Amino acid sequence: MPRNPGTSASRSGSFITACTINFDAIVQITDEHFAQLCRANSDAKFERTAKGELVIVAPTDGEIGSYNSELNADFVIWNRQAKLGVVFDSSTCFRLPTQALRSPDVFWIKQDRWDGLTPDQKAKFPPITPDFVLELMSPSNDFSDVQAKMRD
């Protein structure tokens, strides 16, 4: 797939793995804009990098989706028994200290840290770095994109 200035995408087989768009030249995407974009395009999954780039995340295939579901269930079961924190799935976006809005496949936050957030913070993009993050590498993932996400 050709790369244009301000955008990047990669292909694995016939699947586009991700598309990154930089709107900096024309507009800054605020948290409210980002939330509106997500609501208006509920069939798509978006993230925002620390640089303010919009990432359109490709859906997973059946095998990876099933594996991710199993992993998430394992963490939920463990957390219910341990009662140490809160488990989140890839549908939840968190604001990181870099200002990135990211959604790892599975992540966990210690209960006292989660309880330290206000109800308003919990209801939006919680401004907290997870204590544990699990990001699955599927055949369609670009390794450098996953590395960049983990750096955020």
PDB file of all heavy atoms in Angstrom, residues 110-137:
ATOM      1  N   LYS A 110      -4.644  -1.667  39.562  1.00  0.00           N
ATOM      2  CA  LYS A 110      -4.830  -1.945  40.985  1.00  0.00           C
ATOM      3  C   LYS A 110      -6.058  -1.200  41.489  1.00  0.00           C
ATOM      4  O   LYS A 110      -6.305  -0.054  41.103  1.00  0.00           O
ATOM      5  CB  LYS A 110      -3.601  -1.510  41.789  1.00  0.00           C
ATOM      6  CG  LYS A 110      -2.376  -2.330  41.520  1.00  0.00           C
ATOM      7  CD  LYS A 110      -1.203  -1.797  42.325  1.00  0.00           C
ATOM      8  CE  LYS A 110       0.062  -2.532  41.966  1.00  0.00           C
ATOM      9  NZ  LYS A 110       1.234  -1.972  42.658  1.00  0.00           N
ATOM     10  N   GLN A 111      -6.802  -1.851  42.371  1.00  0.00           N
ATOM     11  CA  GLN A 111      -8.065  -1.303  42.858  1.00  0.00           C
ATOM     12  C   GLN A 111      -7.906   0.074  43.485  1.00  0.00           C
ATOM     13  O   GLN A 111      -8.690   0.978  43.207  1.00  0.00           O
ATOM     14  CB  GLN A 111      -8.709  -2.262  43.870  1.00  0.00           C
ATOM     15  CG  GLN A 111     -10.130  -1.880  44.227  1.00  0.00           C
ATOM     16  CD  GLN A 111     -11.086  -2.078  43.063  1.00  0.00           C
ATOM     17  OE1 GLN A 111     -11.161  -3.162  42.499  1.00  0.00           O
ATOM     18  NE2 GLN A 111     -11.822  -1.031  42.703  1.00  0.00           N
ATOM     19  N   ASP A 112      -6.892   0.274  44.328  1.00  0.00           N
ATOM     20  CA  ASP A 112      -6.739   1.569  45.003  1.00  0.00           C
ATOM     21  C   ASP A 112      -6.441   2.693  44.015  1.00  0.00           C
ATOM     22  O   ASP A 112      -6.891   3.823  44.198  1.00  0.00           O
ATOM     23  CB  ASP A 112      -5.689   1.511  46.111  1.00  0.00           C
ATOM     24  CG  ASP A 112      -4.291   1.191  45.604  1.00  0.00           C
ATOM     25  OD1 ASP A 112      -4.159   0.424  44.621  1.00  0.00           O
ATOM     26  OD2 ASP A 112      -3.330   1.691  46.205  1.00  0.00           O
ATOM     27  N   ARG A 113      -5.716   2.379  42.950  1.00  0.00           N
ATOM     28  CA  ARG A 113      -5.444   3.403  41.930  1.00  0.00           C
ATOM     29  C   ARG A 113      -6.719   3.733  41.161  1.00  0.00           C
ATOM     30  O   ARG A 113      -7.000   4.897  40.866  1.00  0.00           O
ATOM     31  CB  ARG A 113      -4.344   2.929  40.974  1.00  0.00           C
ATOM     32  CG  ARG A 113      -2.987   2.802  41.675  1.00  0.00           C
ATOM     33  CD  ARG A 113      -1.870   2.456  40.703  1.00  0.00           C
ATOM     34  NE  ARG A 113      -1.682   3.548  39.755  1.00  0.00           N
ATOM     35  CZ  ARG A 113      -1.740   3.395  38.423  1.00  0.00           C
ATOM     36  NH1 ARG A 113      -1.940   2.215  37.881  1.00  0.00           N
ATOM     37  NH2 ARG A 113      -1.558   4.426  37.628  1.00  0.00           N
ATOM     38  N   TRP A 114      -7.505   2.714  40.816  1.00  0.00           N
ATOM     39  CA  TRP A 114      -8.775   2.937  40.113  1.00  0.00           C
ATOM     40  C   TRP A 114      -9.737   3.730  40.999  1.00  0.00           C
ATOM     41  O   TRP A 114     -10.384   4.666  40.544  1.00  0.00           O
ATOM     42  CB  TRP A 114      -9.393   1.605  39.697  1.00  0.00           C
ATOM     43  CG  TRP A 114     -10.694   1.746  38.978  1.00  0.00           C
ATOM     44  CD1 TRP A 114     -11.918   1.377  39.438  1.00  0.00           C
ATOM     45  CD2 TRP A 114     -10.905   2.312  37.682  1.00  0.00           C
ATOM     46  NE1 TRP A 114     -12.889   1.670  38.506  1.00  0.00           N
ATOM     47  CE2 TRP A 114     -12.285   2.242  37.417  1.00  0.00           C
ATOM     48  CE3 TRP A 114     -10.070   2.868  36.723  1.00  0.00           C
ATOM     49  CZ2 TRP A 114     -12.849   2.704  36.233  1.00  0.00           C
ATOM     50  CZ3 TRP A 114     -10.627   3.331  35.536  1.00  0.00           C
ATOM     51  CH2 TRP A 114     -12.000   3.256  35.305  1.00  0.00           C
ATOM     52  N   ASP A 115      -9.808   3.367  42.271  1.00  0.00           N
ATOM     53  CA  ASP A 115     -10.692   4.058  43.206  1.00  0.00           C
ATOM     54  C   ASP A 115     -10.271   5.508  43.432  1.00  0.00           C
ATOM     55  O   ASP A 115     -11.083   6.331  43.847  1.00  0.00           O
ATOM     56  CB  ASP A 115     -10.733   3.324  44.557  1.00  0.00           C
ATOM     57  CG  ASP A 115     -11.448   1.983  44.462  1.00  0.00           C
ATOM     58  OD1 ASP A 115     -12.168   1.747  43.471  1.00  0.00           O
ATOM     59  OD2 ASP A 115     -11.252   1.159  45.390  1.00  0.00           O
ATOM     60  N   GLY A 116      -9.012   5.833  43.140  1.00  0.00           N
ATOM     61  CA  GLY A 116      -8.518   7.199  43.288  1.00  0.00           C
ATOM     62  C   GLY A 116      -9.002   8.146  42.199  1.00  0.00           C
ATOM     63  O   GLY A 116      -8.851   9.363  42.320  1.00  0.00           O
ATOM     64  N   LEU A 117      -9.597   7.603  41.150  1.00  0.00           N
ATOM     65  CA  LEU A 117     -10.150   8.448  40.082  1.00  0.00           C
ATOM     66  C   LEU A 117     -11.546   8.917  40.461  1.00  0.00           C
ATOM     67  O   LEU A 117     -12.281   8.220  41.167  1.00  0.00           O
ATOM     68  CB  LEU A 117     -10.213   7.677  38.760  1.00  0.00           C
ATOM     69  CG  LEU A 117      -8.893   7.217  38.166  1.00  0.00           C
ATOM     70  CD1 LEU A 117      -9.144   6.396  36.901  1.00  0.00           C
ATOM     71  CD2 LEU A 117      -7.980   8.387  37.867  1.00  0.00           C
ATOM     72  N   THR A 118     -11.914  10.074  39.968  1.00  0.00           N
ATOM     73  CA  THR A 118     -13.262  10.588  40.199  1.00  0.00           C
ATOM     74  C   THR A 118     -14.247   9.849  39.291  1.00  0.00           C
ATOM     75  O   THR A 118     -13.848   9.276  38.272  1.00  0.00           O
ATOM     76  CB  THR A 118     -13.346  12.099  39.896  1.00  0.00           C
ATOM     77  OG1 THR A 118     -13.166  12.287  38.485  1.00  0.00           O
ATOM     78  CG2 THR A 118     -12.302  12.889  40.684  1.00  0.00           C
ATOM     79  N   PRO A 119     -15.537   9.868  39.634  1.00  0.00           N
ATOM     80  CA  PRO A 119     -16.529   9.249  38.747  1.00  0.00           C
ATOM     81  C   PRO A 119     -16.488   9.848  37.334  1.00  0.00           C
ATOM     82  O   PRO A 119     -16.655   9.119  36.350  1.00  0.00           O
ATOM     83  CB  PRO A 119     -17.864   9.553  39.438  1.00  0.00           C
ATOM     84  CG  PRO A 119     -17.507   9.652  40.890  1.00  0.00           C
ATOM     85  CD  PRO A 119     -16.143  10.316  40.903  1.00  0.00           C
ATOM     86  N   ASP A 120     -16.242  11.151  37.234  1.00  0.00           N
ATOM     87  CA  ASP A 120     -16.162  11.788  35.919  1.00  0.00           C
ATOM     88  C   ASP A 120     -14.965  11.263  35.125  1.00  0.00           C
ATOM     89  O   ASP A 120     -15.076  11.021  33.921  1.00  0.00           O
ATOM     90  CB  ASP A 120     -16.063  13.310  36.082  1.00  0.00           C
ATOM     91  CG  ASP A 120     -16.216  14.039  34.763  1.00  0.00           C
ATOM     92  OD1 ASP A 120     -17.185  13.743  34.021  1.00  0.00           O
ATOM     93  OD2 ASP A 120     -15.362  14.900  34.459  1.00  0.00           O
ATOM     94  N   GLN A 121     -13.829  11.067  35.787  1.00  0.00           N
ATOM     95  CA  GLN A 121     -12.647  10.534  35.106  1.00  0.00           C
ATOM     96  C   GLN A 121     -12.891   9.103  34.638  1.00  0.00           C
ATOM     97  O   GLN A 121     -12.479   8.727  33.545  1.00  0.00           O
ATOM     98  CB  GLN A 121     -11.427  10.569  36.032  1.00  0.00           C
ATOM     99  CG  GLN A 121     -10.904  11.961  36.290  1.00  0.00           C
ATOM    100  CD  GLN A 121      -9.817  11.957  37.343  1.00  0.00           C
ATOM    101  OE1 GLN A 121      -9.911  11.287  38.376  1.00  0.00           O
ATOM    102  NE2 GLN A 121      -8.759  12.726  37.076  1.00  0.00           N
ATOM    103  N   LYS A 122     -13.568   8.314  35.444  1.00  0.00           N
ATOM    104  CA  LYS A 122     -13.865   6.931  35.073  1.00  0.00           C
ATOM    105  C   LYS A 122     -14.835   6.853  33.899  1.00  0.00           C
ATOM    106  O   LYS A 122     -14.789   5.913  33.113  1.00  0.00           O
ATOM    107  CB  LYS A 122     -14.455   6.168  36.265  1.00  0.00           C
ATOM    108  CG  LYS A 122     -13.471   5.931  37.383  1.00  0.00           C
ATOM    109  CD  LYS A 122     -14.174   5.234  38.545  1.00  0.00           C
ATOM    110  CE  LYS A 122     -13.260   5.033  39.714  1.00  0.00           C
ATOM    111  NZ  LYS A 122     -13.949   4.363  40.841  1.00  0.00           N
ATOM    112  N   ALA A 123     -15.724   7.846  33.793  1.00  0.00           N
ATOM    113  CA  ALA A 123     -16.762   7.834  32.769  1.00  0.00           C
ATOM    114  C   ALA A 123     -16.266   8.292  31.398  1.00  0.00           C
ATOM    115  O   ALA A 123     -16.977   8.129  30.413  1.00  0.00           O
ATOM    116  CB  ALA A 123     -17.933   8.702  33.210  1.00  0.00           C
ATOM    117  N   LYS A 124     -15.080   8.876  31.345  1.00  0.00           N
ATOM    118  CA  LYS A 124     -14.545   9.354  30.069  1.00  0.00           C
ATOM    119  C   LYS A 124     -13.370   8.484  29.675  1.00  0.00           C
ATOM    120  O   LYS A 124     -13.483   7.268  29.665  1.00  0.00           O
ATOM    121  CB  LYS A 124     -14.163  10.824  30.189  1.00  0.00           C
ATOM    122  CG  LYS A 124     -15.383  11.707  30.424  1.00  0.00           C
ATOM    123  CD  LYS A 124     -15.036  13.152  30.439  1.00  0.00           C
ATOM    124  CE  LYS A 124     -16.324  13.957  30.628  1.00  0.00           C
ATOM    125  NZ  LYS A 124     -16.051  15.366  30.789  1.00  0.00           N
ATOM    126  N   PHE A 125     -12.244   9.075  29.303  1.00  0.00           N
ATOM    127  CA  PHE A 125     -11.018   8.335  29.025  1.00  0.00           C
ATOM    128  C   PHE A 125     -10.172   8.434  30.289  1.00  0.00           C
ATOM    129  O   PHE A 125      -9.512   9.436  30.512  1.00  0.00           O
ATOM    130  CB  PHE A 125     -10.270   8.920  27.824  1.00  0.00           C
ATOM    131  CG  PHE A 125     -11.082   8.948  26.559  1.00  0.00           C
ATOM    132  CD1 PHE A 125     -11.335  10.144  25.914  1.00  0.00           C
ATOM    133  CD2 PHE A 125     -11.593   7.785  26.023  1.00  0.00           C
ATOM    134  CE1 PHE A 125     -12.080  10.179  24.747  1.00  0.00           C
ATOM    135  CE2 PHE A 125     -12.349   7.808  24.861  1.00  0.00           C
ATOM    136  CZ  PHE A 125     -12.595   9.009  24.218  1.00  0.00           C
ATOM    137  N   PRO A 126     -10.234   7.420  31.144  1.00  0.00           N
ATOM    138  CA  PRO A 126      -9.558   7.527  32.438  1.00  0.00           C
ATOM    139  C   PRO A 126      -8.077   7.895  32.296  1.00  0.00           C
ATOM    140  O   PRO A 126      -7.350   7.257  31.537  1.00  0.00           O
ATOM    141  CB  PRO A 126      -9.726   6.124  33.037  1.00  0.00           C
ATOM    142  CG  PRO A 126     -10.946   5.580  32.362  1.00  0.00           C
ATOM    143  CD  PRO A 126     -10.902   6.134  30.974  1.00  0.00           C
ATOM    144  N   PRO A 127      -7.643   8.929  33.024  1.00  0.00           N
ATOM    145  CA  PRO A 127      -6.246   9.377  32.952  1.00  0.00           C
ATOM    146  C   PRO A 127      -5.361   8.563  33.890  1.00  0.00           C
ATOM    147  O   PRO A 127      -4.993   9.024  34.971  1.00  0.00           O
ATOM    148  CB  PRO A 127      -6.341  10.845  33.379  1.00  0.00           C
ATOM    149  CG  PRO A 127      -7.484  10.859  34.343  1.00  0.00           C
ATOM    150  CD  PRO A 127      -8.454   9.829  33.834  1.00  0.00           C
ATOM    151  N   ILE A 128      -5.054   7.351  33.476  1.00  0.00           N
ATOM    152  CA  ILE A 128      -4.283   6.456  34.339  1.00  0.00           C
ATOM    153  C   ILE A 128      -3.530   5.455  33.461  1.00  0.00           C
ATOM    154  O   ILE A 128      -4.031   5.027  32.428  1.00  0.00           O
ATOM    155  CB  ILE A 128      -5.221   5.740  35.342  1.00  0.00           C
ATOM    156  CG1 ILE A 128      -4.440   5.023  36.433  1.00  0.00           C
ATOM    157  CG2 ILE A 128      -6.189   4.829  34.635  1.00  0.00           C
ATOM    158  CD1 ILE A 128      -5.314   4.544  37.588  1.00  0.00           C
ATOM    159  N   THR A 129      -2.334   5.122  33.895  1.00  0.00           N
ATOM    160  CA  THR A 129      -1.540   4.120  33.193  1.00  0.00           C
ATOM    161  C   THR A 129      -1.827   2.764  33.825  1.00  0.00           C
ATOM    162  O   THR A 129      -1.711   2.616  35.040  1.00  0.00           O
ATOM    163  CB  THR A 129      -0.039   4.437  33.310  1.00  0.00           C
ATOM    164  OG1 THR A 129       0.187   5.737  32.758  1.00  0.00           O
ATOM    165  CG2 THR A 129       0.807   3.418  32.562  1.00  0.00           C
ATOM    166  N   PRO A 130      -2.205   1.776  33.018  1.00  0.00           N
ATOM    167  CA  PRO A 130      -2.458   0.446  33.590  1.00  0.00           C
ATOM    168  C   PRO A 130      -1.226  -0.112  34.289  1.00  0.00           C
ATOM    169  O   PRO A 130      -0.089   0.187  33.928  1.00  0.00           O
ATOM    170  CB  PRO A 130      -2.820  -0.400  32.365  1.00  0.00           C
ATOM    171  CG  PRO A 130      -3.312   0.593  31.357  1.00  0.00           C
ATOM    172  CD  PRO A 130      -2.502   1.829  31.587  1.00  0.00           C
ATOM    173  N   ASP A 131      -1.475  -0.944  35.299  1.00  0.00           N
ATOM    174  CA  ASP A 131      -0.389  -1.625  36.008  1.00  0.00           C
ATOM    175  C   ASP A 131       0.101  -2.839  35.228  1.00  0.00           C
ATOM    176  O   ASP A 131       1.249  -3.261  35.381  1.00  0.00           O
ATOM    177  CB  ASP A 131      -0.868  -2.055  37.397  1.00  0.00           C
ATOM    178  CG  ASP A 131      -1.148  -0.859  38.277  1.00  0.00           C
ATOM    179  OD1 ASP A 131      -0.185  -0.133  38.599  1.00  0.00           O
ATOM    180  OD2 ASP A 131      -2.317  -0.627  38.619  1.00  0.00           O
ATOM    181  N   PHE A 132      -0.760  -3.404  34.413  1.00  0.00           N
ATOM    182  CA  PHE A 132      -0.402  -4.546  33.582  1.00  0.00           C
ATOM    183  C   PHE A 132      -1.072  -4.379  32.232  1.00  0.00           C
ATOM    184  O   PHE A 132      -2.235  -4.007  32.155  1.00  0.00           O
ATOM    185  CB  PHE A 132      -0.874  -5.859  34.230  1.00  0.00           C
ATOM    186  CG  PHE A 132      -0.639  -7.058  33.360  1.00  0.00           C
ATOM    187  CD1 PHE A 132       0.594  -7.686  33.340  1.00  0.00           C
ATOM    188  CD2 PHE A 132      -1.656  -7.539  32.539  1.00  0.00           C
ATOM    189  CE1 PHE A 132       0.818  -8.787  32.521  1.00  0.00           C
ATOM    190  CE2 PHE A 132      -1.442  -8.636  31.720  1.00  0.00           C
ATOM    191  CZ  PHE A 132      -0.199  -9.256  31.713  1.00  0.00           C
ATOM    192  N   VAL A 133      -0.326  -4.660  31.168  1.00  0.00           N
ATOM    193  CA  VAL A 133      -0.844  -4.555  29.798  1.00  0.00           C
ATOM    194  C   VAL A 133      -0.458  -5.809  29.034  1.00  0.00           C
ATOM    195  O   VAL A 133       0.680  -6.264  29.099  1.00  0.00           O
ATOM    196  CB  VAL A 133      -0.247  -3.320  29.074  1.00  0.00           C
ATOM    197  CG1 VAL A 133      -0.649  -3.304  27.614  1.00  0.00           C
ATOM    198  CG2 VAL A 133      -0.665  -2.036  29.752  1.00  0.00           C
ATOM    199  N   LEU A 134      -1.421  -6.350  28.292  1.00  0.00           N
ATOM    200  CA  LEU A 134      -1.153  -7.474  27.413  1.00  0.00           C
ATOM    201  C   LEU A 134      -1.613  -7.075  26.015  1.00  0.00           C
ATOM    202  O   LEU A 134      -2.778  -6.713  25.828  1.00  0.00           O
ATOM    203  CB  LEU A 134      -1.912  -8.719  27.874  1.00  0.00           C
ATOM    204  CG  LEU A 134      -1.644  -9.932  27.012  1.00  0.00           C
ATOM    205  CD1 LEU A 134      -0.801 -10.928  27.792  1.00  0.00           C
ATOM    206  CD2 LEU A 134      -2.941 -10.569  26.586  1.00  0.00           C
ATOM    207  N   GLU A 135      -0.718  -7.082  25.078  1.00  0.00           N
ATOM    208  CA  GLU A 135      -1.039  -6.758  23.684  1.00  0.00           C
ATOM    209  C   GLU A 135      -0.690  -7.983  22.853  1.00  0.00           C
ATOM    210  O   GLU A 135       0.462  -8.419  22.825  1.00  0.00           O
ATOM    211  CB  GLU A 135      -0.238  -5.538  23.224  1.00  0.00           C
ATOM    212  CG  GLU A 135      -0.608  -5.030  21.865  1.00  0.00           C
ATOM    213  CD  GLU A 135      -1.980  -4.364  21.801  1.00  0.00           C
ATOM    214  OE1 GLU A 135      -2.486  -3.894  22.833  1.00  0.00           O
ATOM    215  OE2 GLU A 135      -2.556  -4.326  20.696  1.00  0.00           O
ATOM    216  N   LEU A 136      -1.678  -8.564  22.202  1.00  0.00           N
ATOM    217  CA  LEU A 136      -1.451  -9.741  21.367  1.00  0.00           C
ATOM    218  C   LEU A 136      -0.847  -9.337  20.031  1.00  0.00           C
ATOM    219  O   LEU A 136      -1.239  -8.340  19.447  1.00  0.00           O
ATOM    220  CB  LEU A 136      -2.766 -10.475  21.101  1.00  0.00           C
ATOM    221  CG  LEU A 136      -3.429 -11.138  22.281  1.00  0.00           C
ATOM    222  CD1 LEU A 136      -4.776 -11.711  21.862  1.00  0.00           C
ATOM    223  CD2 LEU A 136      -2.551 -12.228  22.834  1.00  0.00           C
ATOM    224  N   MET A 137       0.085 -10.137  19.581  1.00  0.00           N
ATOM    225  CA  MET A 137       0.651  -9.953  18.240  1.00  0.00           C
ATOM    226  C   MET A 137      -0.040 -10.947  17.322  1.00  0.00           C
ATOM    227  O   MET A 137       0.087 -12.151  17.494  1.00  0.00           O
ATOM    228  CB  MET A 137       2.155 -10.230  18.238  1.00  0.00           C
ATOM    229  CG  MET A 137       3.009  -9.131  18.785  1.00  0.00           C
ATOM    230  SD  MET A 137       3.037  -7.647  17.763  1.00  0.00           S
ATOM    231  CE  MET A 137       3.727  -8.252  16.246  1.00  0.00           C
TER     232      MET A 137
END
